[in-house]
Amino acid sequence: MDVVLPCLDEAEALPWVLTRMPAGYRPIVVDNGSTDGSAEVAAAHGARVVREPRPGFGAACHAGLLAASTEIVCFMDADASLDPRGLPLVADPVAAGESDLVLGRRVATTAGAWPVHARLGNAVLARHLRRAAGVRVRDLGPMRACRRAALLDLELADRRFGYPLEMVLRAAGAGWRVTETDVAYLPRAGRSKVTGTVRGTLRAVADMRAVLRQAQQTTISA
């Protein structure tokens, strides 16, 4: 089963992440312009490395999706905030036909693992998602799994931080069964470029709100 790991300067975290991949899970590290040797570290630890020069979280995710070849594909962050050993929690329900998209609901293992500003921003977006699409999720968790061909059919367009939200919105609109399961959320390795800073969190929230507005406008016009 292929695992897409968007990566921007995660050389410090990658050894831990890649050595904890469960048997049968193949990491695809999508280097999104790293300057710290992340691609070389990933290759040295047996990962397939795909380079995506276009900046953006969604661009990296999409490049990994195109590079994947397994029926079911997983996504997760490469910063050691998520333990790869939890991947079966999101992948198994899809493989068993019990769900079409499974999100890993983050449960912080320490007080500092999930900063308050990031947690609040996520909660607001999850509430909007429940209202806009009727999807009963509490977290837009970055560890997730679904069927590759079905995801490609959704034709996700966002290439920034709105990609995870657009995936859920389009999946719900297509009648997918969207569920979530608890996964441990750990303090990330190195300095966070998004949730660890207020500016990064606000940028991600702004991208996701733009996706929500577009979805609402599309619904109204339809």
Side-chain angles (χ1 to χ4, degrees), residues 16-98:
W16 184 86
V17 172
L18 296 175
T19 55
R20 292 179 68 83
M21 281 286 159
Y25 288 77
R26 304 183 304 188
I28 299 176
V29 174
V30 185
D31 185 61
N32 200 209
S34 299
T35 59
D36 67 346
S38 289
E40 291 74 20
V41 171
H45 284 80
R48 178 183 177 187
V49 176
V50 173
R51 298 183 186 273
E52 174 49 73
R54 293 176 298 171
F57 181 80
C61 287
H62 189 66
L65 177 63
L66 293 177
S69 59
T70 54
E71 181 182 359
I72 296 172
V73 64
C74 302
F75 296 84
M76 65 172 285
D77 289 345
D79 60 7
S81 63
L82 295 163
D83 189 343
R85 293 184 181 178
L87 283 167
L89 294 173
V90 297
D92 286 353
V94 178
E98 300 168 355

Side-chain angles (χ1 to χ4, degrees), residues 90 93-94 97-102 145-147 150 171 174-179:
V90 297
V94 178
E98 300 168 355
S99 182
D100 300 308
L101 172 62
V102 180
C146 63
R147 296 189 183 278
W176 288 25
R177 295 164 297 171
V178 181
T179 60

